[in-house]
Amino acid sequence: QVQLMESGGGSVQAGGSLRLSCITSEYTYKNYCLGWFRQAPGKEREGVAHSDSSGRTMYVDSAKGRFTIYRNNTENTVFLQMNDLKPEDSGVYYCAASKWCAVITGRLPLVNDYNYWGQGTQVTVFS
């Protein structure tokens, strides 16, 4: 059973930074594609950043240059560093995992590309 546990959400003023963490098992960390999605009230869940097990990453256009997804091998954790946050970045952020990684195809992964989800962590950016 794949388990994902997010942390690090909170409230921050526009222009500020937050770092989200998603810890999982060593096997999942080493063999699965890991990604971050967000969902704002009344909107569909949107992929933000993705990382395959070899280190390849992909970002939604709105996150490029501001967000960084990276893995910590000693902690079996994938992080999402978010800088220069904007109110439109607000929402519940979910960590997701999948054995097969759409990143290798060169297209941005979608919700249906992932099989496992964490419970989410709230991010609120106020102006």
Side-chain angles (χ1 to χ4, degrees):
Q1 183 72 12
V2 175
Q3 292 187 324
L4 305 164
M5 183 175 297
E6 306 100 332
S7 62
S11 295
V12 63
Q13 193 169 18
S17 298
L18 283 173
R19 189 181 74 164
L20 305 183
S21 303
C22 174
I23 189 168
T24 186
S25 70
E26 182 178 3
Y27 180 82
T28 301
Y29 176 86
K30 288 183 177 180
N31 295 285
Y32 280 58
C33 186
L34 297 171
W36 287 97
F37 286 73
R38 65 186 174 201
Q39 188 166 20
K43 294 190 176 182
E44 293 186 354
R45 194 168 296 189
E46 172 191 41
V48 176
H50 312 271
S51 169
D52 74 1
S53 57
S54 67
R56 282 174 291 199
T57 59
M58 290 191 76
Y59 298 89
V60 68
D61 284 347
S62 61
K64 290 178 182 178
R66 300 188 300 126
F67 293 7
T68 302
I69 185 170
Y70 63 97
R71 299 184 180 219
N72 184 308
N73 295 336
T74 60
E75 300 178 16
N76 298 328
T77 301
V78 60
F79 295 97
L80 183 66
Q81 177 67 45
M82 304 186 294
N83 299 327
D84 189 23
L85 282 161
K86 306 175 187 299
E88 52 264 40
D89 294 319
S90 298
V92 179
Y93 280 69
Y94 297 91
C95 181
S98 175
K99 193 70 168 69
W100 178 80
C101 199
V103 169
I104 64 173
T105 69
R107 68 165 175 85
L108 198 65
L110 304 172
V111 170
N112 290 340
D113 290 321
Y114 286 89
N115 309 108
Y116 305 97
W117 297 86
Q119 292 188 329
T121 184
Q122 177 71 44
V123 171
T124 302
V125 184
F126 55 92
S127 56

